[in-house]
Amino acid sequence: MATSATHVAVIAEVEECLPDPVTDLHAVQTASRADAPVLGRLLADLRAEFDDETDSAQVLAERFARILQDPNVFALVSGGDTGFVLVTLRPAIWFDGPVAQLEEHYAVPARRGDGIGLLCYVGPTG
């Protein structure tokens, strides 16, 4: 995913609303298979935070590595491994093109309120 002028404009507006200092705003990137261990750990942390039963971070990482190869699945991860979103795409009946569904969204507790999650919604930067 390339950063568009629209993304840059939205990010600039978002930055104006965020508390200082936010150090890793421009590090949101599309995750690759190499990010699977980080994504697995973050998802395991999310489930543990709410006392939900979950598979191990290693098992989740293996699944991330597999599903990120699907062109209808993508994840965005923030710099410093502080958060991520997982999105799937499916066909739409009402228009041409896919519908995006947010499957998972997580920011580490220490970074909540810093805008990391919002920037993951906006998309890759830099």
Side-chain angles (χ1 to χ4, degrees):
M1 295 180 135
T3 302
S4 70
T6 302
H7 275 133
V8 172
V10 170
I11 291 165
E13 288 181 33
V14 168
E15 285 177 332
E16 291 178 17
C17 301
L18 298 175
D20 291 323
V22 178
T23 58
D24 51 8
L25 288 178
H26 298 290
V28 174
Q29 63 185 6
T30 302
S32 69
R33 292 187 72 207
D35 297 303
V38 169
L39 294 168
R41 180 181 51 78
L42 289 171
L43 185 55
D45 290 350
L46 167 65
R47 306 310 294 176
E49 187 174 329
F50 294 97
D51 295 323
D52 290 336
E53 288 188 28
T54 187
D55 291 312
S56 70
Q58 176 63 36
V59 168
L60 295 171
E62 291 168 4
R63 290 184 187 145
F64 271 112
R66 185 178 67 248
I67 68 171
L68 288 174
Q69 295 178 70
D70 185 326
N72 294 312
V73 177
F74 68 92
L76 302 174
V77 64
S78 63
D81 305 337
T82 56
F84 80 99
V85 296
L86 176 64
V87 178
T88 58
L89 305 173
R90 64 177 174 77
I93 193 68
W94 297 110
F95 54 87
D96 291 330
V99 171
Q101 179 170 325
L102 179 65
E103 301 287 344
E104 300 290 347
H105 174 221
Y106 181 66
V108 297
R111 295 306 305 268
R112 292 181 187 156
D114 286 353
I116 298 304
L118 181 58
L119 285 168
C120 283
Y121 283 121
V122 172
T125 59

